[in-house]
Amino acid sequence: MPATDPQLMTASGTQRHNWIRLRTITMLRWTAIAGQIIAITVAQQMYNLQLELLLCYLVIGASVVGNLVAIFLFPENKRLSETENLLMVIFDLLQLSFLLFLTGGLHNPFSLLILGPVTVSAAVMSLRSTVMLGVMAMVIVSLLAEYHLPLRTEEGFILRIPDVFLFGNWVAIIIALCFLSAYSWKTSNEMHSMAAALQATYLALSREQKLTDIGGVVAAAAHELGTPLATIKLASSELVDELSDRPELAEDAALISQQADRCRDILQSMGRAGKDDLHLRKAPLSAVLEEAAEPHFERGKVIVFEQTQHDAELNEQPEILRKPEIIHGMRNLVQNAVDFAKTTIWVETSWSDSEISVRIVDDGAGFPLHLIGRIGDPFVGQRKSDKERAKRPEYEGMGLGLFIAKTLLERSGAKLQFSNGGSQFAKKSNGKTGAVIDVTWPRDKIDAAFSNVAEVTGENLRNQTY
């Protein structure tokens, strides 16, 4: 399953507005209703302001009725659709706006509360709905600056702020609507994108873990069944010789021998991923990399494996742990290189007494300079120019491949660096000018010599029957 498979995204931002329960909206509305009643009561009783109480309480009563209808007609755990959520917020926005119209418009210090519905909705709604609410709120604020019932004291004096402050309030609310809505939407969108990408990563890792487990089971079964199959083969061969005078029985014995051979061949082919127990948990570095790159051998590009280690004292290739994170992560990096290479991909390995490094280089156009700093983030556009995209319009990835690879490999202890051949970061690129990905592990993170894998596999081998 490619890392860019859309199936991985089925629970991504899946309609994130559907995550909001009706009960949450009604609870917030009850809170707003209580606050509005308290504000009107205090304004009248303590400051003797002359308000249109009947109209004010009718506006508040509309919210109360709306809440009661929602409570009695729908279950508390109902999830709101995009349209339902939008209508609820529009209702709250209009209710608050009409209440402000009755109580001084922008001269009322509580006019800032008009930011609430728009800002909160930006965190859970689509960009289109957020923009629509923002524009609606701006229009309402502009109207409230000119059209409203004045606030009057008991003596009949009108409470109003100077025009310069009124204009300042209008500008401040408009700017706050734009900034807070954009900030809320962008932040929420980033969080949902990251959550979706992490889910895709966990699905990919789970799949790789299952494949590894299946390989181990098949290899163990092949070892365990080796002796009984050999016994069946031997016994059936002897029966064929002894039943030479009874052709019909000899034919059955020969069939048994053939089926035993077939079982052996099936087990060997199924156990290709785990040819022996030593390879179930650890394998030479080159073997793990070849296993990771194997699905891409037949894609029309040449994959060249090179060892750049020249230290005589460390000439022996290290055996590393066959972790699913490493295999799937390296597979995604190779896939990325194959996708954008012209003809050739180089997979170079090196090691020291403290580090194990793998470099993947392709002969493509390299990473766009403006994206190098963002490589590894989810849903970053692919590294093709417009000209290359025109040549390959069928390739449309979601930008998850490198994110999954980076996440999985970092989980195994690796550090990744992305650059282009010939740059100051791609040292010793040997004239290769395509994309360069360096993966480096501390040796004690993946070297099998630093774990008890050798003891486990050795014990497993001693318990096997051949």
Side-chain angles (χ1 to χ4, degrees):
M1 179 188 299
T4 55
D5 191 337
Q7 293 292 338
L8 294 177
M9 298 305 299
T10 54
S12 71
T14 54
Q15 321 289 325
R16 63 189 188 191
H17 44 269
N18 285 348
W19 295 355
I20 302 301
R21 294 181 301 172
L22 179 62
R23 182 175 183 272
T24 302
I25 298 296
T26 56
M27 289 297 295
L28 291 174
R29 188 175 288 171
W30 285 128
T31 303
I33 290 171
Q36 291 169 1
I37 293 175
I38 292 173
I40 290 176
T41 303
V42 170
Q44 184 193 28
Q45 298 297 327
M46 294 185 62
Y47 296 97
N48 298 319
L49 298 182
Q50 303 303 304
L51 304 175
E52 297 290 341
L53 291 180
L54 179 60
L55 291 177
C56 289
Y57 284 122
L58 282 176
V59 173
I60 297 174
S63 283
V64 174
V65 172
N67 257 10
L68 293 176
V69 170
I71 291 173
F72 287 109
L73 292 185
F74 302 100
E76 288 188 352
N77 60 351
K78 174 180 172 56
R79 302 284 177 174
L80 298 177
S81 66
E82 170 82 10
T83 302
E84 292 170 338
N85 209 339
L86 179 60
L87 292 176
M88 295 283 280
V89 176
I90 289 177
F91 175 83
D92 291 335
L93 183 61
L94 293 176
Q95 188 265 355
L96 177 60
S97 301
F98 193 55
L99 194 59
L100 288 174
F101 169 79
L102 297 173
T103 55
L106 293 192
H107 296 280
N108 187 332
F110 290 102
S111 59
L112 286 175
L113 292 177
I114 207 166
L115 297 173
V118 181
T119 305
V120 173
S121 66
V124 295
M125 289 190 186
S126 64
L127 180 60
R128 182 178 62 178
S129 298
T130 300
V131 170
M132 186 174 73
L133 284 171
V135 172
M136 183 182 295
M138 291 179 190
V139 172
I140 289 173
V141 169
S142 301
L143 292 175
L144 287 176
E146 292 293 333
Y147 306 102
H148 55 268
L149 298 182
L151 285 173
R152 296 181 182 275
T153 64
E154 188 176 17
E155 294 80 14
F157 294 109
I158 296 178
L159 296 179
R160 57 179 293 120
I161 59 177
D163 289 343
V164 64
F165 284 102
L166 180 65
F167 178 74
N169 283 347
W170 177 81
V171 172
I173 293 176
I174 294 295
I175 293 176
L177 281 171
C178 296
F179 175 76
L180 292 179
S181 297
Y183 180 84
S184 179
W185 183 84
K186 183 65 175 176
T187 302
S188 178
N189 196 54
E190 289 281 347
M191 292 174 61
H192 290 301
S193 296
M194 182 62 70
L198 286 174
Q199 182 189 34
T201 303
Y202 294 142
L203 288 174
L205 178 58
S206 176
R207 176 179 178 272
E208 194 65 42
Q209 182 66 60
K210 288 180 180 178
L211 291 177
T212 301
D213 293 342
I214 290 173
V217 171
V218 171
H223 284 301
E224 293 295 330
L225 293 175
T227 298
L229 285 175
T231 302
I232 294 172
K233 172 72 174 176
L234 178 61
S236 60
S237 299
E238 292 177 352
L239 285 174
V240 170
D241 295 336
E242 294 179 1
L243 297 172
S244 57
D245 56 338
R246 303 180 65 179
E248 67 282 359
L249 295 179
E251 185 178 347
D252 291 340
L255 179 61
I256 293 174
S257 177
Q258 292 171 4
Q259 294 304 308
D261 289 338
R262 185 182 176 190
C263 290
R264 179 199 60 199
D265 295 339
I266 291 174
L267 287 171
Q268 287 179 348
S269 64
M270 290 177 63
R272 178 174 55 85
K275 297 174 184 175
D276 55 58
D277 268 24
L278 287 176
H279 281 210
L280 293 181
R281 296 177 180 269
K282 67 174 184 175
L285 175 61
S286 61
V288 174
L289 295 178
E290 289 177 10
E291 178 183 350
E294 184 177 3
H296 308 292
F297 284 162
E298 305 299 328
R299 294 184 56 190
K301 308 290 176 66
V302 178
I303 301 179
V304 180
F305 293 88
E306 299 178 352
Q307 293 185 14
T308 59
Q309 180 57 255
H310 302 292
D311 191 337
E313 296 182 359
L314 297 171
N315 196 38
E316 184 178 353
Q317 184 177 182
E319 288 192 327
I320 66 172
L321 303 176
R322 289 185 67 257
K323 293 183 176 181
E325 297 96 321
I326 296 175
I327 295 173
H328 196 84
M330 296 306 300
R331 182 170 296 156
N332 279 8
L333 294 184
V334 173
Q335 175 186 333
N336 180 79
V338 171
D339 285 339
F340 299 106
K342 295 177 181 177
T343 60
T344 310
I345 298 93
W346 294 270
V347 180
E348 305 170 355
T349 58
S350 63
W351 56 88
S352 66
D353 57 354
S354 60
E355 290 184 342
I356 294 177
S357 300
V358 177
R359 165 171 290 184
I360 299 176
V361 188
D362 63 65
D363 61 351
F367 296 114
L369 296 179
H370 68 285
L371 286 182
I372 284 185
R374 297 178 58 202
I375 293 175
D377 289 347
F379 308 105
V380 172
Q382 52 269 22
R383 56 177 168 109
K384 291 189 298 181
S385 64
D386 293 337
K387 182 178 180 180
E388 291 173 319
R389 187 174 290 107
K391 293 180 180 178
R392 295 183 62 200
E394 76 283 357
Y395 185 87
E396 288 295 337
M398 293 188 298
L400 279 177
L402 288 178
F403 171 79
I404 291 175
K406 186 172 183 289
T407 303
L408 293 179
L409 291 172
E410 287 179 345
R411 174 173 174 169
S412 71
K415 291 184 179 179
L416 281 74
Q417 185 176 65
F418 302 90
S419 58
N420 289 324
S423 69
Q424 59 177 330
F425 300 104
K427 300 176 182 178
K428 300 179 181 179
S429 57
N430 299 324
K432 305 180 181 79
T433 58
V436 179
I437 304 176
D438 288 296
V439 187
T440 305
W441 291 270
R443 189 153 182 164
D444 59 354
K445 293 290 186 181
I446 64 170
D447 195 329
F450 288 84
S451 71
N452 61 352
V453 171
E455 298 176 8
V456 173
T457 53
E459 183 64 26
N460 194 15
L461 283 173
R462 286 194 293 272
N463 291 335
Q464 290 172 355
T465 303
Y466 295 94

